[in-house]
Amino acid sequence: MTVGTAPTSAERTGELRHNLADVRERIAAAARAAGRDPAALTLIAVSKTWPAADVLALTRLGIDQFGENRDQEGRPKSVAVATGRSAGVGPTTAIADPVTWHFIGRLQRNKARAVASWADWIHSVDRESLVSGLEAGAAAAGRTPSVCIQVSLDVPGSEPTVGPGGPTRGGAPPDAVERIAQLVADAPHLRLAGVMAVAPIGRPARPAFARLRVVHERLLADHPRATVMSAGMSSDLADAVAEGATHLRVGTALFGHRPRFP
Ligand SMILES: *Cc1c(COP(=O)(O)O)cnc(C)c1O
């Protein structure tokens, strides 16, 4: 039951508070080491597989950015969270701004329209054929989601990344990024925000993020407002911060180990 809003136990809230303090300390330390301002880093809590109640608990701890990787899960959860907040589920302190939802998963063409109706951000646009569906969904909903182009960090000529979630984590080859980005930039209801990537499994993350940084700098030359570099997860966030990441997508370190791989 991943969309339930039954209030979290005091124990779970304590666990989330403790994990969040840990993650914030890791981010601050990584920023210090890189000579960067921690305030310039955005933490996205990746809530996939976790109930809306956990999201509500984190909003009361000051988190307002959440990541989901499936339309079937993210859409009802975003509704449950909005409903739970307006009903004041749990302690009603600090009900401030609405939460921001980031879609970070593999995007199917037949889901693009639907995702654009609830996600405020879409990090995983990795082919041109997704753009028309996103634009149509955003226009129909009267919204303007922010879009990152997902870049593959697999090394050309070596085996593509194979993870438990499927044959590949997705991503456009670096030389296709500019073309996809231009389509997004030309879409009236989409805002080109930057680039996103997942480090290859089983290889050092830092050099992979360094390659993402180069791709990002190339994109910035043509699209100076596409300032976002979405990179870094629970295990490699310091490497991502060192290479210029602006948005960190952290699941396990905040919520614990997922009961199943999504
Ligand atoms: C699940 C997921 C994350 C979070 O990963 P953790 O290792 O749990 O922090 C980040 N990015 C993407 C694309 C994901 O699917």
Side-chain angles (χ1 to χ4, degrees):
M1 181 58 175
T2 63
V3 299
T5 51
T8 39
S9 64
E11 189 189 351
R12 178 62 169 157
T13 301
E15 185 179 16
L16 290 170
R17 180 182 290 113
H18 173 264
N19 291 348
L20 176 59
D22 251 26
V23 167
R24 284 200 166 125
E25 183 41 48
R26 283 177 60 199
I27 293 171
R32 275 195 304 276
R36 299 184 57 198
D37 178 3
L41 303 173
T42 300
L43 171 61
I44 299 169
V46 177
S47 50
K48 65 190 184 195
T49 79
W50 298 102
D54 280 357
V55 172
L56 289 166
L58 275 175
T59 64
R60 293 190 291 270
L61 297 172
I63 297 293
D64 60 1
Q65 312 281 322
F66 294 91
E68 289 287 332
N69 70 338
R70 295 167 67 233
D71 177 57
Q72 309 90 287
E73 178 178 352
R75 188 164 25 155
K77 197 181 295 182
S78 68
V79 172
V81 167
T83 308
R85 298 190 92 210
S86 60
V89 168
T92 52
T93 51
I95 303 271
D97 301 326
V99 307
T100 298
W101 291 97
H102 298 257
F103 185 85
I104 62 171
R106 281 290 270 162
L107 190 51
Q108 312 293 330
R109 188 135 85 107
N110 63 359
K111 288 285 164 66
R113 209 187 148 96
V115 166
S117 74
W118 62 269
D120 304 292
W121 284 66
I122 297 122
H123 289 233
S124 44
V125 174
D126 63 358
R127 50 206 194 281
E128 293 174 81
S129 60
L130 295 171
V131 176
S132 62
L134 289 172
E135 166 61 23
R143 316 170 78 245
T144 309
S146 299
V147 168
C148 292
I149 310 303
Q150 184 177 351
V151 183
S152 168
L153 298 180
D154 289 326
V155 179
S158 69
E159 300 223 340
T161 307
V162 178
T168 169
R169 312 300 291 273
D175 63 5
V177 168
E178 177 53 35
R179 219 171 48 239
I180 305 166
Q182 193 56 52
L183 263 189
V184 171
D186 291 342
H189 296 86
L190 302 176
R191 181 183 80 88
L192 178 66
V195 294
M196 176 275 217
V198 179
I201 291 166
R203 297 202 187 88
R206 178 93 190 247
F209 291 143
R211 286 185 278 122
L212 178 63
R213 176 178 219 155
V214 171
V215 174
H216 188 209
E217 281 164 1
R218 253 184 352 237
L219 181 71
L220 276 168
D222 290 329
H223 304 276
R225 281 183 296 185
T227 53
V228 167
M229 176 169 157
S230 166
M233 322 202 312
S234 293
S235 60
D236 56 22
L237 66 86
D239 287 325
V241 170
E243 292 298 339
T246 61
H247 287 58
L248 312 171
R249 309 178 311 267
V250 178
T252 307
L254 282 174
F255 292 94
H257 287 283
R258 287 179 286 277
R260 62 192 159 80
F261 198 93

